[in-house]
Amino acid sequence: MSKTPDAPFPANTTSETVRVLRRILITGASGAIGGALARRLAAPGTHLLLWGRDMARLTLIATICRAAGATVELRQIDLAEPAASLAAIAADDSAAPIDAALLVAGQGDAVPPGQIVEPAEQVARLAAVNFAGPAALAAALATRMVARGQGRILLVGSAAAFHALPHAPTYAASKAGLARFADALRLAVGPHGVIVTLVSPGFIDWANGGRPVPRALLLPLEEAARRILAAFDAGVGHAIIPRRFALLRLLDRALPGVARDALLRQFRP
């Protein structure tokens, strides 16, 4: 099983004690990307806090991670419930400080077939899961990490944030909001020893992913996980993967408005 580079996230240290285990939180760990990241981070000396909605999937991921030498705690949770999420992060970080948090959980629904506008209930849920939930968790953790003088936070956004997608307006908007929040949080907490990284992936290929897009645009799941962790390890502020989606962002900006609008109306992956 492949692993990330040695000791990518240093354990917190104080003048009084040095903790042996690195405590790493991964939200969305029952999903494809979160699970892939957990498997890559699993190693002796690492304690994984795996959050997700699907307990059966969490249990499977935990078994794999424990076999790789990690210790694991599981929490079944829905990030659309902010009070429960904030209570959980307070409990887990109070039990022992979290060294790094990978806030991966998200939802990618689009306008249902045959409809023009997303259902209002779907808009509300996507806004909560993709923006309000991870932003609130990041703020809560950043506050605690600033007090300790160190910590790392990863927010997984999307290349969709750069485009006004008529087939997925709330997904694109929620990821755009998360991107702006991540940038602002990075500026605020960087001088206090806390590193914030945003990764904006394009299309990622996984089993049962349901992504009817050209194969050339799909990034294999394990390669996406590798690149996400590489950006996090390097402490970059923002990484777009694969890089060709950065070119699409520039194209969106460069096209005349009429041409851009016509192109986006035709784009329905």
Side-chain angles (χ1 to χ4, degrees), residues 23-27 47-51 71-73 92 98:
R23 283 173 63 84
I24 302 175
L25 167 68
I26 303 176
T27 69
H47 184 80
L48 297 175
L49 304 165
L50 303 182
W51 290 16
T71 59
V72 182
E73 288 182 52
D92 283 354
I98 293 170

Side-chain angles (χ1 to χ4, degrees), residues 172-222:
S174 59
K175 292 297 188 178
L178 188 66
R180 184 56 60 92
F181 173 84
D183 200 30
L185 184 65
R186 175 185 61 83
L187 293 172
V189 301
H192 303 279
V194 180
I195 298 171
V196 176
T197 295
L198 170 71
V199 178
S200 299
F203 299 115
I204 298 177
D205 189 17
W206 64 79
N208 302 318
R211 294 183 174 278
V213 298
R215 296 291 303 177
L217 292 178
L218 288 171
L219 187 64
L221 175 61
E222 291 300 328

Side-chain angles (χ1 to χ4, degrees), residues 99-200:
D99 300 303
L102 289 73
L103 305 182
V104 184
Q107 191 169 337
D109 288 342
V111 176
Q115 297 187 31
I116 297 174
V117 179
E118 283 180 289
E121 296 78 9
Q122 180 172 300
V123 172
R125 178 168 180 82
L126 287 180
V129 174
N130 291 345
F131 172 67
L137 286 177
L141 266 177
T143 300
R144 289 168 170 264
M145 289 176 172
V146 164
R148 296 193 287 265
Q150 59 186 331
R152 289 174 178 256
I153 298 173
L154 169 74
L155 292 158
V156 175
S158 171
F162 313 137
H163 311 286
L165 301 178
H167 69 279
T170 308
Y171 179 73
S174 59
K175 292 297 188 178
L178 188 66
R180 184 56 60 92
F181 173 84
D183 200 30
L185 184 65
R186 175 185 61 83
L187 293 172
V189 301
H192 303 279
V194 180
I195 298 171
V196 176
T197 295
L198 170 71
V199 178
S200 299

